[in-house]
């Protein structure tokens, strides 16, 4: 756990992390000016779909194209949260339209919202009060596979055994 909340190590395929090159992380958005410059460079087509995001261990939002791997966006490092985010233009400026913790590489708990909220507040982006789509991740204690829990059905889709009620994806945590 960090001073800003839980941290999440990458738990996805090792070959994806091995492909990360130094300096290849997502665009660091540390201020409203950073966001304004970044969003101005996006095409209309890019703005129609969500972007990949992480909140780094420094609490700063990083953004990358949707089809980017979260581990690449994070530069291979641990994160405070990860998922997908979309933006909408309103009369008062840009706001977050939708945001989720959907990252099968980091599998962050829904409680990682506080890190996302703080990072968005730091860059003065209007935001919802929580993830607009929450993804519940669990690791099966029996077969060790990562699962997405749907409709509160805490049963492993791989072996049929019960999944824990509390987040347990990273065995080192």
């Amino acid at each position: 756990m960090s001073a800003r909340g839980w941290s999440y190590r990458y738990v996805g395929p090792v070959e994806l992390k091995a492909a990360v090159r130094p300096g290849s992380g997502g665009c660091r958005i540390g201020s409203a000016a950073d966001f304004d410059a970044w969003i101005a460079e996006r095409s209309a087509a890019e703005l129609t779909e969500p972007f990949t995001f992480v909140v780094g261990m420094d609490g700063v939002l990083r953004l990358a194209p949707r089809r980017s791997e979260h581990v690449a966006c994070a530069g291979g490092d641990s994160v405070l949260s990860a998922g997908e985010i979309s933006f909408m233009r309103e009369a008062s400026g840009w706001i977050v339209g939708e945001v989720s913790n959907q990252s099968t590489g980091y599998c962050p708990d829904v409680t990682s919202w506080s890190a996302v909220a703080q990072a968005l507040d730091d860059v003065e982006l209007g935001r919802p009060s929580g993830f607009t789509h929450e993804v519940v991740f669990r690791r099966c204690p029996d077969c060790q596979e990562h699962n997405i829990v749907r409709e509160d059905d805490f049963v492993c889709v791989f072996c049929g055994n019960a999944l824990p009620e509390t987040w347990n994806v990273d065995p080192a945590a």
Side-chain angles (χ1 to χ4, degrees), residues 63-143:
L63 297 169
R66 181 180 192 186
R67 287 165 185 82
S68 301
E69 294 293 336
H70 288 96
V71 69
C73 187
D77 296 333
S78 293
V79 299
L80 298 175
S81 190
E84 293 187 345
I85 191 167
S86 64
F87 303 99
M88 298 179 354
R89 180 87 168 141
E90 290 193 340
S92 61
W94 289 97
I95 64 165
V96 174
E98 294 187 17
V99 59
S100 76
N101 63 316
Q102 185 169 332
S103 167
T104 56
Y106 286 99
C107 303
D109 192 39
V110 296
T111 59
S112 69
W113 169 252
S114 60
V116 178
Q118 185 62 56
L120 294 172
D121 290 349
D122 288 349
V123 297
E124 302 171 14
L125 278 170
R127 61 170 176 81
S129 60
F131 288 120
T132 56
H133 176 71
E134 292 182 340
V135 180
V136 177
F137 296 100
R138 295 295 185 269
R139 179 178 43 84
C140 179
D142 296 308
C143 73

Side-chain angles (χ1 to χ4, degrees), residues 4-25:
R4 289 182 169 251
W6 284 101
S7 62
Y8 301 91
R9 291 183 319 140
Y10 180 71
V11 295
V14 294
E15 63 272 11
L16 294 180
K17 186 172 183 179
V20 175
R21 298 291 167 246
S24 65

Side-chain angles (χ1 to χ4, degrees), residues 33-45:
D34 290 346
F35 180 80
D36 289 343
W38 178 84
I39 200 80
E41 295 176 359
R42 308 287 62 91
S43 70

